[in-house]
Amino acid sequence: QVQLVESGGGLVQPGGSLRLSCAASGSILRINTMGWYRQAPGKERELVAVITSGGSTNSADSVKGRFTISRDNAKNTVYLQMNSLKPEDAAVYYCNADIKVDIYYGRQYWGKGTLVTVSS
């Protein structure tokens, strides 16, 4: 059973920083792309940033220059460093990972989400 567990969310003032973490556990053969998505109230879930197993990254224009995604393959963990946070960054942040559990089977997994609130 594969699980993704996020941590690091919370309340921060505008201009502040947070670091999110997401650890994958369970019967894992290989993790391909990992990423972060977010969903604000009344809005659709959107891509924030993704990172391949080789370290290539891509991020939404709205967070470029402020958010940095990274991963530790040895720990099966992906991070999202969020700086210069704005009220519009407030959302539930979800971790996503493309995980192979054996040579035949793999799929996308999602964490349960961690809430980020940006308010003074």
Side-chain angles (χ1 to χ4, degrees):
Q1 191 79 358
V2 174
Q3 283 189 317
L4 298 180
V5 179
E6 302 105 332
S7 61
L11 172 64
V12 64
Q13 292 185 342
S17 298
L18 281 176
R19 189 191 194 210
L20 306 183
S21 300
C22 171
S25 63
S27 179
I28 297 171
L29 176 65
R30 184 176 72 246
I31 304 178
N32 297 316
T33 299
M34 303 183 81
W36 290 94
Y37 292 72
R38 67 186 181 187
Q39 187 167 18
K43 295 187 176 182
E44 293 186 354
R45 191 172 297 189
E46 63 176 0
L47 170 72
V48 177
V50 293
I51 183 167
T52 68
S53 58
S56 297
T57 64
N58 192 21
S59 60
D61 288 342
S62 59
V63 307
K64 277 186 167 66
R66 300 187 298 122
F67 292 11
T68 301
I69 189 170
S70 61
R71 67 190 280 174
D72 184 334
N73 290 331
K75 296 181 179 179
N76 290 338
T77 300
V78 62
Y79 307 96
L80 186 69
Q81 178 65 44
M82 305 186 293
N83 299 327
S84 303
L85 281 158
K86 304 175 181 180
E88 52 263 42
D89 294 318
V92 178
Y93 282 70
Y94 296 93
C95 176
N96 172 274
D98 178 13
I99 296 176
K100 290 189 71 68
V101 298
D102 59 41
I103 62 172
Y104 302 108
Y105 182 72
R107 70 170 178 89
Q108 300 280 330
Y109 290 85
W110 290 91
K112 293 183 177 180
T114 185
L115 179 64
V116 172
T117 304
V118 184
S119 175
S120 54

